[in-house]
Structure formats: structure tokens, C-alpha cells
Amino acid sequence: MLKEVLGRFEPRRENLLDILHAIQEASPTNSLSKEDIEAVAKYVGITPAEVYGTATFYTMFSVKPRGKHIIRVCTSTACHLLGGETVLEALKRELGVDVGDTTKDGLFTLEISSCLGICGVAPAMMIDEVAYGNLTADKIKEIIDQYRRGG
Ligand code: FES
């Protein structure tokens, strides 16, 4: 898989973010492993430490195995003022995990995020690439159930 993903890009440093993105997206653990980091470093001709530094600098990347779906709850001002904390608590309860953790069934990883750019529908979250707004505790349960059913 790794070789195939790398082959899609020119081996240049300026492609680093795109390469890391593509590898993480293809990863069954939604993350970048030590082997991935070493292979990317070799491919673009920089040190593994530099790749690791990039992978840990951006919140969109994870060097820790994650669940199938990544939930990112906005904790910036608009969402915070409109009940973001309640939403986060509802998610923790519903999933039985804390921020940064993955559910036992491997389905979800719960993360927090700064502004998602959809403040008009605060409080908001993203699950993978899908945005959800005007959230309430009830809505959270509905949305999570939908994913559990495979939707
Ligand atoms: S403050 Fe939450 S989406 Fe902007």
C-alpha cells in the first residue's frame, strides 16, 4: 500500500503534506506509523525526525492509531459560548471515552479542534469530512447511532 501511495507523488519535499495525507487516509488505523514516517523520509530525502516533526505539528495527522471515524469537536469561542462543552460531554458519555481516546470497538476517536469554519451553526463538530452543526445531546446520540449502524 505504502509503495503505491508514494508512487502517486513526485519525491519532493514540497509534497510532504500531501503524501502524509494520502498515507494516513489509506491507513486502516487512520494514522502514520513509524514505518510510514521512515519510508516517507527516505522517499523525499529528508530525515525521519523532520517528517515526524511535521506529522506531530499538524493536528490533522496522528502518529497514534485511531478509530475508523475521527470526531473533531470545535472548542473555539462561538461553539464554546453556544454549548460546545455540553456537546463534548454528551459525546464522552455516549462513546465512553475521553478526548484523545478510541472506543473499544475501534469505530471512533474523539478529538477537539479549533474553529471548523462553520460558526454559523455552532456548536459544531466534524466526523471525518462531514460537518454537523446546531448540536444538542439528543442529536449527538442520533448521529453516533447512525454511524454505529454503518451509515
Ligand atoms: S467557533 Fe466552532 S466552528 Fe467556528
Side-chain angles (χ1 to χ4, degrees):
M1 172 285 278
L2 194 52
K3 231 176 148 189
E4 186 268 314
V5 176
L6 287 174
R8 286 192 242 147
F9 301 90
E10 287 290 314
R12 291 204 310 258
R13 191 193 184 110
E14 53 267 39
N15 290 334
L16 182 58
L17 292 182
D18 289 338
I19 293 173
L20 292 178
H21 245 304
I23 292 175
Q24 181 168 279
E25 217 173 274
S27 157
T29 60
N30 242 320
S31 61
L32 299 163
S33 67
K34 192 169 169 262
E35 292 73 36
D36 294 333
I37 286 173
E38 281 166 2
V40 172
K42 201 170 162 202
Y43 190 67
V44 298
I46 59 178
T47 67
E50 284 175 276
V51 179
Y52 184 82
T54 303
T56 51
F57 177 79
Y58 293 99
T59 55
M60 62 200 172
F61 298 126
S62 176
V63 292
K64 199 174 125 189
R66 296 188 292 182
K68 183 174 177 203
H69 302 291
I70 311 297
I71 303 176
R72 290 184 295 138
V73 182
C74 174
T75 55
S76 288
T77 314
C79 287
H80 181 73
L81 292 174
L82 290 165
E85 198 56 41
T86 313
V87 166
L88 186 57
E89 288 310 313
L91 273 164
K92 286 187 195 171
R93 257 197 326 274
E94 185 59 36
L95 300 172
V97 296
D98 220 325
V99 172
D101 292 341
T102 299
T103 54
K104 281 199 187 78
D105 58 10
L107 256 191
F108 304 98
T109 296
L110 181 61
E111 297 182 351
I112 53 173
S113 165
S114 52
C115 182
L116 298 166
I118 46 173
C119 321
V121 292
M125 69 175 179
M126 302 268 297
I127 300 185
D128 305 326
E129 303 306 318
V130 183
Y132 295 91
N134 298 315
L135 294 169
T136 60
D138 286 348
K139 244 180 159 179
I140 291 289
K141 197 175 168 12
E142 258 173 54
I143 296 166
I144 295 300
D145 280 347
Q146 195 184 309
Y147 279 83
R148 282 183 175 136
R149 288 193 300 266

